[in-house]
Amino acid sequence: MRMTSSFIPTLRETPAEAEIPSHKLMLRAGFLRRAAAGIYTYLPLSQRVLKKIMQIIREEMDAAGGQEILLPIVQPAELWHATGRWADYGDEMFRLKDRHGREFCLGPTHEEITTSLVQGEVRSYRQLPLLLYQIQNKYRDEVRPRFGIIRGREFIMKDLYSFDQDQRGLEESYQKMYQAYGRIFSRCGLETRPVLADSGAIGGNVTHEFVVLADCGEAIIVYCPECDYAANVERAECRPQPKDGTELLPLEKAFTPGAKTIEQVSSFLDVAPERLIKTLLYKSDGEVVAALIRGDHELNEVKLARILGTLELEPADEETILQVTGAPVGFCGPVGLKNVRLIVDQGVAALANGVAGANEEDAHLLNVNMGRDYEPDLVADIRLVKGGDPCPQCGNALLGARGIEVGQVFQLGTKYSEALRAYYLDENGEEKPMVMGCYGIGVTRTMAAVIEQHHDEHGIIWPMSIAPFHVHIVPLGDKELALAEELYDQLTSCGIEVLLDDRDERPGVKFKDADLIGIPIRITIGSRSLSEGKVELKLRSGDWEGKLPPDEVCAKVQELIASKGA
Ligand code: 9G3
């Protein structure tokens, strides 16, 4: 491609709305333009990258036994009513009506549609396992689209759905996908880390997220430097502490005027935060629940919601707190609470002689002990794990990190096949629900994640495997253009993808744009090196450069491409 006939609108300045490197660089390097909040146009350079990422995904999905289909974006509401999910998702779902007033949504995901398809076609165990996938736009009306295409409202996803006879079959499909994901991301030049995740409303209970470590990432994970434990903090477990064997002291009320927060109570009573018991009141499905957590720990609301088996969990408001405890906010405690379910974190269960609110204004209780002073309804792990906490597998201190979730694999079980009656006859002629898994890769998000992992202050540094082109030729003057055209033809005839900067621009402008766009191999043709009968080659990554005669360029470029694993 020649730059004079290409649509690559590079920018000198970074548009104000861009906050993170990948968003800034895609706008400046002429890869992307915004159509509306969270809605983008992918310009020619992006399209070339996306096609290569999709090609890698297709090769690996097909190799794992997947068959590609194309599902509808416009989905009938009936299917979502059947699974009960039409009501689960509020404004996040794009809904529309057809000319007859029938309700539809723009597909945010495709469990319903795919299960309904399979329900109508598969009747025998001989037809399983069945792995169907698509690469298609998805629509989710994010309340706050941000970070460019990383959290957009329209994005491209590969989603595969597996249908098996039983749990064992599902685990085989899951493993195949898990391995294929590792290969896909490394072939895209992405370093990802699979982490245990929470399956949220989708159902099932085994799920992993593939995360790209990045400071702008919205996923918060912990991982162990010593063993293979890694988890999204929504899901991360921690090792239960041993029970504190101290002798139980008698309950005592302390006057704590105005001391409400952990810090205030801790300093007023001169008691360490880890001896305090935070009692947090929530409303869940109409009932009031108290979560007890140590003063130096944070509550993990996702874990609490999962334990309560609820989708809606919100902090109790002030009048509920007043009504339930008889005291204003800040003096709530477990002793004497009526009609409130007590979910106690294991860190509190292990505590002896803790300090808690007295359910009385300006009063706290000392030497509170579970079992003697209050009965828990349930002791569980409801703690938000953070860096420094002990690894649940090996006990070493966990490390915290932020990451971009580029893929997610779920064991769904039979939630959708039961709801949509996707049954099959097993070898004994018995009717059984198919056991499902679902597996997503954010295709457009992957492109942005690659930029997050591969850029410097001058621009993008594309891995060879998904670069929009292999070679960027920069002739510095019009004398050098003739040789540039010759090299362009030679390389192109060897199947090498070349971008030729044939614009009538000063060298500085050409170099800036070449750095910005980030093609891996750059060939510079200038009068100085030409006088020695040579052209300059260098890798955008900076880890090689050299001068060589024009007739050796083609072989060298092929060697560089091969060595970079394209
Ligand atoms: C919705 C809306 C948003 C959603 C969902 C449904 C996320 C929803 C979870 C998944 C699970 C997997 C198949 C590919 C991989 C991910 N956001 N999820 O189900 F109606 Cl508005 O999408 N689906």
Side-chain angles (χ1 to χ4, degrees), residues 50 53-54 57 156-158 441-447:
L50 288 172
I53 293 174
M54 291 181 199
I57 290 174
I156 301 172
M157 184 194 276
K158 180 286 301 177
I441 290 182
V443 176
T444 41
R445 187 181 272 189
T446 293
M447 174 166 64

Side-chain angles (χ1 to χ4, degrees), residues 502-530:
D502 56 347
R503 294 174 300 171
D504 181 10
E505 289 281 358
R506 286 178 294 100
V509 168
K510 294 193 176 186
F511 286 139
K512 263 190 183 307
D513 281 352
D515 282 344
L516 203 48
I517 293 169
I519 306 295
I521 301 170
R522 180 176 322 159
I523 299 176
T524 304
I525 307 177
S527 51
R528 194 164 23 81
S529 60
L530 259 196

Side-chain angles (χ1 to χ4, degrees), residues 230-278:
N232 185 307
V233 286
E234 289 180 348
R235 162 74 186 272
E237 291 149 21
C238 50
R239 186 166 269 197
Q241 294 86 343
K243 184 137 181 64
D244 176 347
T246 319
E247 180 206 349
L248 305 193
L249 300 174
L251 206 53
E252 197 185 318
K253 188 184 288 189
F255 182 52
T256 53
K260 299 179 184 176
T261 66
I262 291 297
E263 293 69 32
Q264 290 165 339
V265 176
S266 172
S267 58
F268 187 88
L269 295 173
D270 190 21
V271 170
E274 54 264 27
R275 300 279 320 289
L276 301 184
I277 299 168
K278 265 188 293 199

Side-chain angles (χ1 to χ4, degrees), residues 74-249:
V74 179
Q75 302 184 13
E78 292 81 356
L79 295 175
W80 289 76
H81 285 300
T83 59
R85 291 217 293 172
W86 187 258
D88 285 352
Y89 293 89
D91 295 339
E92 191 184 354
M93 183 183 263
F94 277 104
R95 301 166 204 261
L96 67 159
K97 284 197 171 84
D98 69 7
R99 61 190 326 159
H100 309 293
R102 282 190 289 257
E103 286 189 300
F104 292 84
C105 72
L106 296 184
T109 184
H110 285 70
E111 281 80 9
E112 281 77 3
I113 276 269
T114 316
T115 308
S116 166
L117 165 76
V118 169
Q119 185 274 336
E121 309 298 334
V122 172
R123 292 301 302 149
S124 158
Y125 69 98
R126 290 192 186 83
Q127 296 170 277
L128 299 175
L130 179 60
L131 279 68
L132 299 174
Y133 78 93
Q134 65 162 355
I135 299 181
Q136 170 79 285
N137 281 10
K138 288 274 187 297
Y139 296 85
R140 295 178 186 176
D141 198 356
E142 297 287 347
V143 66
R144 199 167 157 239
R146 54 192 305 223
F147 298 163
I149 60 176
I150 282 193
R151 179 168 289 280
R153 296 194 290 171
E154 174 187 69
F155 54 94
I156 301 172
M157 184 194 276
K158 180 286 301 177
D159 39 335
L160 183 139
Y161 301 85
S162 63
F163 298 83
D164 278 281
Q165 293 185 43
D166 49 29
Q167 181 61 27
R168 192 176 53 74
L170 165 58
E171 281 160 13
E172 279 169 26
S173 299
Y174 192 84
Q175 265 315 310
K176 278 186 195 157
M177 285 296 117
Y178 190 95
Q179 306 303 332
Y181 274 44
R183 286 193 296 277
I184 288 168
F185 293 122
S186 64
R187 286 183 62 188
C188 290
L190 259 187
E191 201 187 308
T192 56
R193 182 184 284 271
V195 303
L196 287 165
D198 182 79
S199 45
I202 184 73
N205 49 23
V206 173
T207 174
H208 286 85
E209 278 171 0
F210 285 76
V211 170
V212 169
L213 297 191
D215 295 344
C216 69
E218 294 181 322
I220 304 173
I221 67 164
V222 286
Y223 64 97
C224 182
E226 302 302 323
C227 74
D228 65 355
Y229 185 77
N232 185 307
V233 286
E234 289 180 348
R235 162 74 186 272
E237 291 149 21
C238 50
R239 186 166 269 197
Q241 294 86 343
K243 184 137 181 64
D244 176 347
T246 319
E247 180 206 349
L248 305 193
L249 300 174

